[in-house]
Amino acid sequence: MNGVYIIKRLFTSVAAFCISVTIMFILLRLMPGDYITMYLETIYRYAPPDVVEAFNHVYGLDRPILEQYVLYLLDAFRGNWGYSLIYKVPVLTVIGEKLVWTMVILVPATALATLAGIGIGAYSGWKRGSKTDIALLNGMIFIRAIPSYWLALMILIIFAYYLNLFPLGGYVDTGALITGIDPLDVANHAVLPILTLFLFSVTGTYYLMRSSMLMTAGEDYIVTARAKGLDELTILRKHALKNAMLPMVTMITLECAGMITGSIFVETIFSWPGLGMLTYKALAVRDLPLLQGILLVDTLLVIAANIAADLIYPLVDPRVQVGDNG
Amino acid sequence: MAKRTVLAASIGIILAYCAVALLAPVIAPYDPHAITGAPLCPPDPEHLLGTNDLAQDIFSRLIWGTRATLLLGFIGAAVTVVIGTAVGIVSGYYGGMVDEAVMRLIDVAMTIPIFPLLLILTTFFRPGIYITAVLMGLLGSFQGVRVIRSQVLSLAVADFVTGTKALGAGDGYIMARHILPNVLPLAGVKFVISAQHFMLIGIGLGFLGIGDPSVVDWGQMINRASQNGAMILGLWWWLIPPGLAVTLISLALAWLGYACEDEINPRLRLMRV
């Protein structure tokens, strides 16, 4: 990786974070009512003027707007994201706690979906036009078209309600109050959310991998390999697969944003106590400090995915150094 | 081949939905907001899909909900495609500093997760359905710019463009008369795919309980049904129809989008070596 590229990436990341923060700052000022009306929803009307003044002073609302903005931006970088209105604890604390639970379902779902999507997509693209390929393609398009919330609801109804194979929601049984959290119990609760997120994600990876494989399969070096008399499996493994996988790495970013969206619906439906359900709860009670924290964390997740893609790229393709334009 | 049948079926479904949306007042037996009898009725000849907890006729609400779905999808897609095409053409045609600035801006914008941002904006400004659709279109337009721009990059140096320039044609004329017609098929595909995407997102907003409460939309119907125990009580006629309705139109648009993409990108077309 060369210096210019790193600087570019760093600049984009910091700029994205700053824009997220700035949007929230502007939103806070555009909102109907003052900060205090939001904080003391029902009783602010009765607050004496000197209390209001003291409140504004504590939150720096009596300073010039530019100074407020700079302070706001600095605090965002320092990790001082304010207090959640419902939980009454620092936003970052709430989010940190929930983020772990989101990762418990997000990481396995993404890993499985990436592996399966690449595998099935490569096979489908390699055998293009065959009955298997058409069937797989149609099946994937079908699953992709189902809204994630509807898919989650149907999976819940079928597997948890009618077949009674898995719990209806939550992350542990009530027995955990006595016995403590049992990892097996958590895993049992996590199966359906992971399955839904997996289905949601695998179709995208599959579709991309298949397209990429279609392009690769038409390349001259594949024809050459075949002319050399190599068997199909060797060509697929040693020549086609590696090259077809390259465009996949850059897709990680888009996939990450999609998974954040998916997890909001999936966690809400399965009552999984992660960032997604936190978003839903914060929306319901209009907890703006918490919502802005969630937006910032989501931005950071996408940035992290970007950087991960940059780091993975040279591993998949040793020829090119990322961003090395000559 | 079967592909033609599927394509015809998709177009048929989309047209049928449009017809239902336009004719909603004629088809729907009741006003979607009116109290029409006892609450939580099972389906019967009076109420084809029963009634909800507020005694509103579910079938009528389903019919009226078509309007919200199509509005969200088509308005959002129109905004996205117009912005994506306009900015993409200008950026790709002029190149240089303009292109660099637009591309860096999009790099930054694409790092911000659109859906959570949309959630926050809709929660706090409670926009109506039209503003929501435009907002979705705006926030979703970045990727479209990229797709159109990369197409324009190669068009801008094509011989026919150079030739037209040599004849003394202005930039505006070239972009409107020569570049635009060439990216229209791509913009068309983008429109279909975006429409599907925005319908799902728009209904998702309703599902999360932050839709426009003055309109009937399927997301809010699903939300209301699942929040009020339709699943546990086994009231399938309350929970299932709106979800099936979204899934069907989504499938039709996905098929149409896929078929169009296949058509304009010959490398993806199925061929045997």
Side-chain angles (χ1 to χ4, degrees):
Chain A
M1 265 188 255
N2 66 3
V4 179
Y5 186 79
I6 293 175
I7 290 170
K8 234 183 199 174
R9 170 63 82 207
L10 207 66
F11 173 77
T12 314
S13 305
V14 173
F17 188 74
C18 286
I19 289 179
S20 281
V21 176
T22 309
I23 290 172
M24 293 314 306
F25 181 81
I26 296 171
L27 268 185
L28 271 174
R29 261 104 208 127
L30 285 180
M31 276 210 357
D34 299 326
Y35 197 52
I36 191 166
T37 58
M38 192 176 76
Y39 226 84
L40 307 172
E41 243 179 310
T42 43
I43 52 165
Y44 75 92
R45 244 179 278 256
Y46 311 108
D50 51 332
V51 169
V52 175
E53 204 175 297
F55 181 92
N56 285 342
H57 184 72
V58 167
Y59 284 93
L61 297 172
D62 51 354
R63 303 191 198 188
I65 190 100
L66 205 65
E67 196 184 331
Q68 281 185 41
Y69 175 65
V70 173
L71 278 177
Y72 191 85
L73 209 57
L74 282 178
D75 271 347
F77 276 98
R78 283 190 204 124
N80 178 8
W81 294 0
Y83 283 78
S84 156
L85 298 182
I86 31 171
Y87 292 95
K88 311 290 181 203
V89 284
V91 165
L92 213 51
T93 315
V94 186
I95 290 177
E97 214 172 89
K98 302 291 182 185
L99 191 58
V100 178
W101 286 106
T102 293
M103 289 303 159
V104 170
I105 55 170
L106 209 60
V107 171
T110 313
L112 286 175
T114 310
L115 286 177
I118 287 178
I120 304 172
Y123 180 80
S124 196
W126 190 245
K127 299 265 179 197
R128 65 194 178 288
S130 70
K131 280 214 170 70
T132 330
D133 170 42
I134 303 290
L136 280 170
L137 180 65
N138 289 349
M140 290 290 183
I141 292 179
F142 181 77
I143 296 174
R144 192 160 185 70
I146 304 174
S148 53
Y149 35 94
W150 186 247
L151 191 64
L153 216 50
M154 287 300 110
I155 287 179
L156 183 69
I157 290 178
I158 294 169
F159 291 97
Y161 187 67
Y162 282 111
L163 298 180
N164 216 355
L165 292 173
F166 295 99
L168 274 169
Y171 68 112
V172 282
D173 269 338
T174 39
L177 285 172
I178 305 160
T179 55
I181 293 176
D182 173 12
L184 268 178
D185 185 29
V186 172
N188 191 32
H189 281 78
V191 170
L192 291 184
I194 291 177
L195 174 69
T196 316
L197 276 175
F198 168 79
L199 287 175
F200 176 74
S201 171
V202 73
T203 52
T205 318
Y206 163 86
Y207 191 74
L208 268 165
M209 186 64 198
R210 183 178 175 276
S211 307
S212 180
M213 189 50 111
L214 286 185
M215 307 272 187
T216 311
E219 297 285 352
D220 289 343
Y221 57 79
I222 300 292
V223 181
T224 311
R226 203 167 271 136
K228 278 198 304 190
L230 294 179
D231 63 295
E232 288 289 301
L233 205 64
T234 315
I235 304 173
L236 178 62
R237 274 199 5 244
K238 297 233 157 131
H239 298 267
L241 203 55
K242 279 185 180 169
N243 288 295
M245 263 170 66
L246 291 182
M248 303 300 298
V249 180
T250 41
M251 285 310 295
I252 288 181
T253 323
L254 280 176
E255 200 56 36
C256 177
M259 287 298 262
I260 291 173
T261 308
S263 72
I264 295 177
F265 292 114
V266 171
E267 287 183 12
T268 304
I269 289 165
F270 290 101
S271 319
W272 185 264
L275 210 54
M277 198 164 91
L278 188 70
T279 314
Y280 179 71
K281 281 186 176 164
L283 285 173
V285 297
R286 295 158 66 87
D287 187 340
L288 188 57
L290 189 53
L291 281 172
Q292 55 180 334
I294 291 171
L295 180 68
L296 289 185
V297 165
D298 288 347
T299 311
L300 287 177
L301 284 177
V302 178
I303 290 173
N306 262 315
I307 294 172
D310 284 347
L311 294 177
I312 294 171
Y313 210 95
L315 294 182
V316 183
D317 185 6
R319 282 175 313 175
V320 246
Q321 293 250 297
V322 172
D324 205 0
N325 322 322
Chain B
M1 206 186 112
K3 207 176 122 189
R4 283 199 162 275
T5 325
V6 173
L7 188 62
S10 314
I11 296 175
I13 291 170
I14 296 165
L15 290 178
Y17 270 64
C18 293
V20 168
L22 286 174
L23 299 174
V26 186
I27 305 173
Y30 299 95
D31 181 291
H33 299 288
I35 293 173
T36 56
L40 300 181
C41 280
D44 61 30
E46 290 274 296
H47 304 283
L48 286 177
L49 290 171
T51 56
N52 66 8
D53 58 330
L54 296 174
Q56 295 160 330
D57 182 52
I58 294 173
F59 181 68
S60 301
R61 290 178 75 77
L62 193 69
I63 299 286
W64 279 90
T66 319
R67 287 195 167 182
T69 310
L70 295 185
L71 279 177
L72 285 166
F74 290 142
I75 294 178
V79 171
T80 279
V81 166
V82 168
I83 295 179
T85 311
V87 178
I89 287 179
V90 171
S91 176
Y93 180 78
Y94 285 107
M97 287 300 287
V98 181
D99 189 42
E100 185 69 18
V102 171
M103 283 299 110
R104 287 296 77 76
L105 211 67
I106 284 175
D107 276 349
V108 173
M110 292 218 4
T111 311
I112 300 170
I114 303 296
F115 190 68
L117 181 59
L118 185 70
L119 288 180
I120 293 176
L121 291 174
T122 35
T123 312
F124 285 95
F125 294 102
R126 298 258 156 205
I129 184 170
Y130 295 101
I131 309 276
T132 306
V134 172
L135 205 60
M136 285 195 298
L138 274 175
L139 293 176
S141 59
F142 304 117
Q143 219 201 334
V145 173
R146 269 198 182 163
V147 174
I148 300 286
R149 175 231 175 218
S150 57
Q151 177 98 342
V152 174
L153 277 184
S154 56
L155 285 172
V157 292
D159 287 342
F160 70 93
V161 171
T162 321
T164 320
K165 257 187 207 162
L167 287 174
D171 288 340
Y173 178 83
I174 294 176
M175 281 190 273
R177 297 298 294 271
H178 293 282
I179 309 269
L180 181 63
N182 279 297
V183 295
L184 273 185
L186 195 60
V189 174
K190 188 78 198 146
F191 181 84
V192 175
I193 295 173
S194 306
Q196 185 222 2
H197 188 61
F198 291 140
M199 274 178 202
L200 296 191
I201 290 188
I203 290 174
L205 289 179
F207 177 81
L208 290 175
I210 49 177
D212 181 348
S214 65
V215 296
V216 184
D217 85 55
W218 295 332
Q220 294 181 53
M221 286 173 71
I222 303 174
N223 180 39
R224 187 159 194 101
S226 65
Q227 292 287 317
N228 290 291
M231 187 175 82
I232 306 295
L233 298 171
L235 311 176
W236 56 267
W237 53 86
W238 191 10
L239 187 63
I240 308 285
L244 278 186
V246 195
T247 307
L248 190 61
I249 182 82
S250 167
L251 258 177
L253 284 166
W255 275 114
L256 183 63
Y258 177 75
C260 294
E261 200 178 14
D262 207 39
E263 206 54 50
I264 65 164
N265 190 350
R267 284 199 86 171
L268 285 180
R269 212 172 294 165
L270 304 170
M271 46 184 177
R272 284 187 174 277
V273 182

